[in-house]
Amino acid sequence: MTANARPADALRADDAPVTAPASPGMKKVGGVAGWIDDRTGAAKGVGYLMRKVFPDHWSFMLGEIAMYSMIVCMLTGVFLTFWFDPSMAHTTYQGSYAPLQGVEMSRAYASTLDISFDVKGGLLIRQIHHWSALLFIVALSVHMLRVFFTGAFRKPRELNWVIGCVLSLLALVEGFAGYSLPDDLLSGTGLRAAQGFMVAAPVIGSYLSYGLFGGTFPGDDIIPRLYSVHILLLPALLIALFTVHIVLVALQKHTQYPGPGKTNDNVVGFPVMPVYAAKAGGFFFIVFGGIALISALVQINAVWVHGPYEPNATTAGAQPDWYMGFPDGALRLLPGWMEFETFGFTWAWPVIIGALLVIPAFYGGMIAYPFIEAWVTGDKREHHLLDRPRNAPTRTGLGMAALTLYGVLMFAASNDIIAIKFGMSINDITLILRVLTFVGPVIAFWATKRICLSLQRHDRDLVLHGRETGRIERGPDGDFHEIHEPLDAHTRWNLVQHEAVAPLELAPAVDANGVEDKKQARKNKLRAKLHSFYFDGAVQPVTPAELEAAHHDHGHEAIESGDKDKISTH
């Protein structure tokens, strides 16, 4: 018995312990929560979310950066709507920017100048809006690359991958609509190019352009219509898809990187409350502070430099933002001889392919890939553990090939700038980039796959033989051997946890009557070839039997302690 305990405390052992009464403030909070739960039944769902466990890894913050930058972009967008006038009506500028005083322009451009020079904090908010939009697309793109290279798109997350692809596509359209609103010379040039792309669409091109622009270019309706799309339609779609994406993440087990104690049946991490919520809240202000700092120090989209848009004028070296560069690059690389006439109709295939088909082809391939991989590999199981990219060499190689193609097309959108800055022939640059369009992805795939297989072999050798120390020891028989240091259990587990390649099981190519089904036979043949391509040269993980045999076969190799008997225990 302690000195401070009272003897009567132990008289009734079954009594419930006395707890301190709740404070008045907590009682009020509890009362409000109870009132809300009585009318909405939200307590069960909120309690589930508060107890939800999320793994802790820096790469998972990429998706959070995308979400937070989108929030900052929308909040600053609300501020800008108070002063922006989405009208193409003509006015004469009389604002603070002296070089443009007395110049006729649209009210959209004039209001953009007013926000930049006459509204307190307006220029900073404009720049925060633009930088946060760019960061949103960057973070979303890098987040999707992380998901792809680690195999996080596999069952049961195919739907979330499709939602992410649609979000990325909508972000491109939203960005294009946003930087077209100021109606300056640069954005107007982009709109003129977009109108040319629309007209190139077979049959419906002229009708599409006429309907969107409200007549012949530039018309009087394009800015108001883009404004409605930019602040109403696309944000609503983005918010809805983001909500569905987050709900699916919460309902499904979160993926996690492999490690001791981590399996497909558990999640190792921290609950939402209080750990994850505190970290996420702090991270939001870090992202917001970083965007504000960049926006205050680095100028972007200085529309007053270009002047108002005039249909008979254009800017030298005009280029779209980086995320819209790859279709423009494809347009520049396609040869002119692909445009021809038949029966009085002009077929502008360079524009049709470059401007109208490249974006759907990119995103169509991204959306289809999880289903293609599942069909080729025959893997229909649920996966909650992520792959190390080296352990999926073909997938990693295909991803790098796609990135290489994207990079070539993006640089092609700047072929004129490259020619000017480096004093080179634009024709030579275009020819080199045309060759790289076909050769570059092949080289990237081959090199990436070989590097992944080499890393796998290195991991296998490291597990079997241990870590080389660089120290040489002479044995009792006069022979020399290097001292090896065995791996610790945690390090070794990460190198052997991935699954071996299983043989492909094909459905029988016969129908219910035992007659050969030629369609199924062709499908089996194609699938077998793709399976062989996907797993060609696969390096199997070390098995326990191989590890034990390697320890016995290399028993003459000393380890750090000098005790050979320890070899068989590692």
Side-chain angles (χ1 to χ4, degrees), residues 161 165 169 357-372:
W161 171 258
C165 293
L169 179 58
L357 298 183
V358 166
I359 294 180
F362 258 89
Y363 281 93
M366 290 166 58
I367 291 173
Y369 182 83
F371 307 98
I372 296 174

Side-chain angles (χ1 to χ4, degrees), residues 548-556:
E548 184 70 19
H551 285 165
H552 285 293
D553 292 343
H554 296 82
H556 63 279

Side-chain angles (χ1 to χ4, degrees), residues 138-213:
V138 170
L140 183 60
S141 301
V142 179
H143 172 67
M144 293 184 66
L145 289 176
R146 196 276 302 172
V147 170
F148 178 83
F149 285 116
T150 58
F153 55 78
R154 294 173 293 176
K155 184 181 178 180
R157 297 174 182 83
E158 302 96 332
L159 179 59
N160 241 0
W161 171 258
V162 174
I163 291 174
C165 293
V166 176
L167 275 171
S168 178
L169 179 58
L170 290 178
L172 300 191
V173 181
E174 175 77 334
F176 174 78
Y179 72 64
S180 299
L181 290 179
D183 199 32
D184 61 304
L185 184 56
L186 182 60
S187 66
T189 302
L191 276 176
R192 185 68 178 93
Q195 190 266 345
F197 302 157
M198 295 176 195
V199 173
V203 182
I204 65 171
S206 57
Y207 300 100
L208 181 63
S209 172
Y210 194 91
L212 183 62
F213 286 86

